Amino acid sequence: MQRILIIEDEVKIARFLELELKHEGYEVIQAHDGRAGLEKALKEKIDLILLDIMLPGLNGMEVCRRIRMSSDVPLIMLTAKDQTMDKVMGLDFGADDYITKPFAIEELLARIRTALKRKRGTFETHHILRVGNLKLDEEQHLVTYNEHTIELTKREFDLLFYLMENQSIVLSRDKILEKVWGYDYMGDTNVVDVYVRYLRGKIDEKYNDKLIHTIRGVGYLLKNE
C-alpha cells in the first residue's frame, strides 16, 4: 500500500484529504506544522508528500528545500497563492507539482497518480545521454560539461533530460509541459520559458556553447551545432 504524508495546518482540510485518500486505497499520515512534517518526511517511509505552503514553524518552501537535500520523494504543493512566481518558486525548490486551493479532489487524485507513476518510471531504465560536451547520467542524477559538474534543481534536470533524450527534435511547449510537468498540469506554458532560461544560464551562457535553440512560434530543441 502506498503511503502519503499530508503536511497541512488546517485540520479540517487534512482530515478531508485523509478520508478521500484512504477511500482510494492509500495509507495516510498527517503533520500539522512544518517542523513535524519535515521530521516525518525524513524518518518515515513515504511514497508521496502533500505539502501546504503556509505552515507554522517552517513554511512549506523551506520544508521542501530541506526534504530535497536528502530525498527525491514525489512532492505536490498545496497553495492558496496563484501568482506565477510563487508557483515557479515552489517548483524551483524541488516540488514535482502544485495545486491551488480550492481544488477539486478528482484533480488532486489525478496529479497524485501521475507523480507516483513518474516516480516508478525513473527506476525502469538507466540513461547516460550526451550532446557535444554535455553529459547527463540519469542514475546518478549528474550533469557535467567537459567533466565540470552543473548543479541543477530537480525540475531543471527533468527538463534537460527530456530535451537531450529528444535531441535535434523540435518540442512544443505543450509537449514539454505534458512530459516534464505532467499531462494534468494546469499552469501557464510560460513556466517552460522560465526554466529554459535557467538552463541556458547554467549551460549555454556559462560555457559559451549554444545548445538550446528557440524555434519561434513552436518551442525548443537541443542540438550540438
Side-chain angles (χ1 to χ4, degrees):
M1 182 181 294
Q2 291 173 308
R3 200 174 197 208
I4 295 178
L5 169 62
I6 300 170
I7 308 176
E8 166 64 71
D9 64 321
E10 295 187 46
V11 177
K12 288 184 179 179
I13 293 177
R15 178 58 178 162
F16 166 74
L17 291 173
E18 180 183 33
L19 292 174
E20 292 290 338
L21 292 169
K22 284 185 173 179
H23 181 71
E24 294 295 317
Y26 298 107
E27 183 181 349
V28 178
I29 60 174
Q30 295 185 34
H32 302 299
D33 66 75
R35 293 190 185 281
L38 177 63
E39 183 177 0
K40 289 185 178 181
L42 298 180
K43 291 184 177 180
E44 304 267 359
K45 183 183 182 301
I46 304 294
D47 294 294
L48 182 138
I49 297 172
L50 298 178
L51 173 64
D52 188 31
I53 287 184
M54 303 300 290
L55 291 168
L58 287 176
N59 68 47
M61 296 290 188
E62 181 62 16
V63 172
C64 181
R65 186 187 72 82
R66 296 192 190 188
I67 289 172
R68 282 293 175 255
M69 292 173 67
S70 60
S71 172
D72 64 351
V73 60
L75 190 152
I76 299 175
M77 281 193 159
L78 310 176
T79 173
K81 297 183 177 182
D82 59 1
Q83 296 298 313
T84 298
M85 286 314 298
D86 290 322
K87 298 171 182 177
V88 169
M89 186 182 297
L91 296 171
D92 202 30
F93 271 59
D96 294 271
D97 200 356
Y98 67 86
I99 188 166
T100 304
K101 299 175 183 176
F103 51 80
I105 189 63
E106 293 81 9
E107 181 183 354
L108 177 59
L109 292 172
R111 288 173 184 260
I112 289 171
R113 288 192 295 270
T114 298
L116 290 170
K117 187 184 302 180
R118 189 183 301 127
K119 175 65 175 177
R120 287 197 302 271
T122 61
F123 295 105
E124 292 173 359
T125 56
H126 174 209
H127 290 93
I128 295 179
L129 304 175
R130 290 182 175 85
V131 178
N133 295 316
L134 185 66
K135 175 184 173 183
L136 182 150
D137 187 317
E138 183 189 20
E139 187 172 78
Q140 296 187 44
H141 209 271
L142 177 67
V143 176
T144 57
Y145 187 97
N146 274 344
E147 305 307 320
H148 296 285
T149 300
I150 300 171
E151 298 293 338
L152 299 180
T153 66
K154 181 180 185 302
R155 188 70 65 178
E156 290 167 352
F157 183 91
D158 291 345
L159 174 57
L160 182 62
F161 178 88
Y162 185 56
L163 291 171
M164 292 182 71
E165 193 177 36
N166 294 277
Q167 61 178 289
S168 300
I169 298 173
V170 178
L171 301 170
S172 69
R173 289 174 178 82
D174 287 338
K175 191 68 174 177
I176 292 170
L177 279 175
E178 178 186 340
K179 295 297 184 180
V180 178
W181 275 263
Y183 73 90
D184 53 357
Y185 174 81
M186 301 297 289
D188 298 328
T189 58
N190 66 0
V191 73
V192 175
D193 302 326
V194 171
Y195 275 81
V196 167
R197 287 200 300 272
Y198 292 164
L199 288 180
R200 281 176 168 158
K202 293 182 177 182
I203 301 171
D204 294 36
E205 294 167 13
K206 183 173 182 178
Y207 296 102
N208 194 28
D209 188 357
K210 187 173 177 60
L211 295 174
I212 304 173
H213 301 262
T214 301
I215 307 303
R216 193 173 300 278
V218 183
Y220 299 98
L221 87 158
L222 188 146
K223 68 177 181 178
N224 183 33
E225 292 189 319

